Amino acid sequence: MNAKGVAYENVPVCDLCGSTSAKVSFADARDNALLIPGRFGIVRCGSCGLLRLSPRPARESLGMYYPENYVPYREDSFLLHAVKRFLSAGERRRIKNLTGGRGRVLDIGCARGDFLASLGTSYERFGLEMDAPSAAAARETGATVYAGDVETFTFQSGATFDCIVMRFVLEHLRSPMAVLKKLKTILSSGGSLVISIPNADSFERHIFGRYWHSFDVPRHFQIFSPATIRKYAEKAEFRVEKIYYSFVPNDWIGSISRFFNAHGWTRLARFFGITNLLLAALFFPLSFVGFLLHRSPRMTVILRAVERSRF
Ligand SMILES: [Zn+2]
């Protein structure tokens, strides 16, 4: 532990391919969103190209980087809630196409349950959320919500789900590989896994570098590209059915905010909040170009379990 009370851990081995070869992309990477102290590094695996945070916060220091004002745990304003609901219409349609609009759906990292609520009551809805107050709020939607961390949570023996949704969770995990393998065991036959993650191949990542919103140091431990998520899928015995790209302009706004924060211009940084709908409208044309060229900073990957032959 250092003088400021942050416990670090180095991550010498790539979670995806097991290689120890790595090149430092950014040393001295910091939390430019919440300005919580700590100095981290972003490294690229020399073998598969996966980006990972190393050093990263050790387990005992992780809580300080998820304070009460961490955005996903906050209740949205009426207008923002309506906009998010409008923007997630595509996700709901995909889930409906995958499931026929019924069955058991599990939302991992469901926060306050807004997405579960938006799915409607034709599904049997389940959630898993590590933040206890958010889990309690999510239960108000009528879904069955467990409080826990997907990396350590033990699912009920024999429980299976027709569709498992993980929206911007995989990048926060210590071992996405272990979790993907675990989820395969609770997916029903023919079920699907719908994961939304940042995209390391995005224009925004290349333009903003260390200030890129979706590096979100030190909360994101692994950053995927279409190529590395395909390798993850293959190793965990999933098949990538489709990758969808997002047109949401959050990463333009959030990256500019982080740049300002890093240079001490905190008032400007606050103005560039990702919930500023006026800015969202302004940056929409730029993000739409990334969407058209499949270089947007967020993607949703549909995975199906590869069924093993019994013979
Ligand atoms: Zn690797």
Side-chain angles (χ1 to χ4, degrees):
M1 197 174 280
N2 73 354
K4 281 185 174 149
V6 184
Y8 297 95
E9 67 182 19
N10 282 310
V11 188
V13 179
C14 174
D15 181 62
L16 172 53
C17 74
S19 170
T20 53
S21 150
K23 191 167 174 277
V24 175
S25 293
F26 300 109
D28 195 17
R30 309 214 181 187
D31 180 356
N32 290 319
L34 303 175
L35 299 175
I36 300 168
R39 301 169 72 165
F40 308 91
I42 296 169
V43 304
R44 172 186 285 278
C45 172
S47 176
C48 72
L50 180 72
L51 292 165
R52 68 178 185 269
L53 192 68
S54 179
R56 67 188 182 189
R59 212 173 273 277
E60 62 266 37
S61 280
L62 199 56
M64 66 188 273
Y65 295 102
Y66 290 89
E68 273 179 26
N69 63 345
Y70 179 57
V71 171
Y73 298 155
R74 291 200 307 232
E75 196 171 352
D76 293 335
S77 68
F78 179 77
L79 183 60
L80 187 62
H81 180 82
V83 169
K84 280 189 179 174
R85 197 167 173 126
F86 171 73
L87 290 174
S88 63
E91 286 174 72
R92 285 194 297 279
R93 199 171 50 244
R94 274 173 224 144
I95 291 169
K96 193 173 177 190
N97 290 341
L98 290 165
T99 58
R102 59 191 175 274
R104 291 162 62 90
V105 176
L106 169 66
D107 184 0
I108 294 176
C110 66
R112 300 177 62 86
D114 292 346
F115 187 69
L116 278 173
S118 76
L119 284 175
T121 52
S122 66
Y123 300 95
E124 206 179 331
R125 295 166 301 160
F126 299 84
L128 177 65
E129 172 53 51
M130 64 190 289
D131 180 59
S134 297
R139 279 183 204 114
E140 303 283 314
T141 68
T144 304
V145 179
Y146 309 107
D149 173 347
V150 64
E151 298 204 80
T152 50
F153 188 76
T154 306
F155 290 93
Q156 212 175 9
S157 171
T160 58
F161 301 92
D162 303 303
C163 183
I164 301 175
V165 184
M166 260 200 309
R167 304 165 85 229
F168 303 103
V169 170
L170 203 67
E171 64 275 18
H172 292 264
L173 305 179
R174 302 186 107 71
S175 174
M177 185 62 82
V179 168
L180 287 174
K181 287 179 175 171
K182 182 177 186 172
L183 296 185
K184 188 159 185 265
T185 67
I186 57 163
L187 205 56
S188 64
S189 173
S192 47
L193 180 56
V194 181
I195 50 175
S196 298
I197 44 178
N199 175 12
D201 280 356
S202 61
F203 288 138
E204 286 88 332
R205 205 267 288 182
H206 292 288
I207 291 166
F208 293 103
R210 65 167 63 235
Y211 306 111
W212 178 39
H213 179 64
S214 290
F215 273 136
D216 198 20
V217 175
R219 286 164 287 273
H220 289 180
F221 288 176
Q222 261 85 209
I223 299 286
F224 316 91
S225 65
T228 53
I229 197 64
R230 282 180 190 281
K231 279 185 197 147
Y232 260 106
E234 193 184 320
K235 283 209 157 186
E237 299 189 331
F238 285 98
R239 170 170 63 79
V240 175
E241 191 161 290
K242 176 102 183 156
I243 299 181
Y244 294 94
Y245 295 86
S246 157
F247 50 78
V248 176
N250 293 22
D251 282 60
W252 282 97
I253 304 164
S255 303
I256 293 170
S257 174
R258 283 161 200 259
F259 175 83
F260 285 142
N261 255 339
H263 293 84
W265 301 325
T266 50
R267 285 182 68 162
L268 259 174
R270 268 200 300 279
F271 174 73
F272 276 81
I274 54 168
T275 53
N276 185 326
L277 295 174
L278 188 70
L279 287 172
L282 199 65
F283 281 94
F284 178 75
L286 280 172
S287 62
F288 198 72
V289 173
F291 161 74
L292 290 176
L293 299 175
H294 290 184
R295 300 290 295 277
S296 51
R298 285 145 187 255
M299 52 188 177
T300 297
V301 187
I302 312 288
L303 301 176
R304 296 263 197 189
V306 174
E307 306 287 344
R308 282 231 180 105
S309 167
R310 288 183 201 166
F311 303 102

